[in-house]
Amino acid sequence: MPESVTGNSPEPEKIPVITVDGPSGSGKGTIARRVADHLGFHFLDSGALYRVVALASLNTRTADDDPEGLARLAATAPIDFAHTDNGDVAVLLGGQDVTQQLRAEAVGDCASRIATHAAVRDALLQRQRRWCQPPGLVADGRDMGTVVFPHAVIKIFLTASAEIRAERRHKQLIEKGMSANIGGLLSDILERDDRDYNRKIAPLKAAEDSIEIDSTALSVAQVVTKVLDLATIRL
Ligand code: DC
């Protein structure tokens, strides 16, 4: 997997990158993964890296206002990705499968708080860039097109109304047999949006050369088709 590759590829700017940025619950992870599968490209879920660091900080009781301690975790946490038998990708922390733990709202909330520290973002920058490997990469997150891969050939900014994002998250949790309250999910989403859009460092914002897609009234398949149509033209 790219995370275990040492050093950067030669001339990474020649490797095609597609970035999919957007707020929490906009569906960017699902879209980015399907586009990557379709093109045979690598896939980077950058939010998973922030979530693993958040989980490591909760496990080690590193305070979310301790940038040095958090940056150390971000630089050194033993993170790995492994393909599972059913074709999914599992996230490993110290060899232990933490994929399910990462989806917990408390971990997402902590990730959004630790992501406000420049030292944490710097520590994760090089780890993220190692995913840029032939034949290409699809990366999803908040600052993929603005900071991490500014040379990306296609930059998507995916939005959806907060209400529909809360509904989608509610459905996902119920399907997984977890309990969820839609009002609570909506206020969590609004709070996280506020932090992600308004933080001083690498805030969530559309890159100037990005293409905005509002997925409120679109299916996953329709959004994937739009991105693949762009890929046909630009790659
Ligand atoms: O995409 P996600 O919900 O898994 O991300 C969790 C948090 O991590 C998100 O609220 C903000 C942070 N994050 C970030 O700051 N930059 C990224 N590229 C990805 C995630």
Side-chain angles (χ1 to χ4, degrees), residues 28 46 50-51 112 115 121 142-144 192 196 199:
K28 57 192 184 313
S46 63
Y50 284 90
R51 284 174 186 260
S112 160
R121 306 201 72 84
R142 305 293 188 289
D143 60 344
M144 296 296 100
R192 194 162 323 159
D196 292 350
R199 67 175 173 232

Side-chain angles (χ1 to χ4, degrees), residues 4-21:
S4 58
V5 172
T6 47
N8 283 330
S9 293
E11 303 192 85
E13 63 284 351
K14 292 210 170 135
I15 299 167
V17 177
I18 299 176
T19 58
V20 185
D21 288 306

Side-chain angles (χ1 to χ4, degrees), residues 128-173:
Q128 294 173 95
R129 287 189 174 152
R130 278 188 221 138
W131 257 266
C132 189
Q133 298 286 330
L137 172 71
V138 184
D140 90 72
R142 305 293 188 289
D143 60 344
M144 296 296 100
T146 49
V147 176
V148 184
F149 301 109
H151 67 282
V153 65
I154 298 173
K155 299 180 183 180
I156 304 294
F157 194 74
L158 190 64
T159 60
S161 74
E163 288 73 19
I164 197 86
R165 288 186 281 134
E167 268 175 42
R168 288 175 186 163
R169 180 76 26 112
H170 186 252
K171 193 162 163 259
Q172 274 173 356
L173 292 171

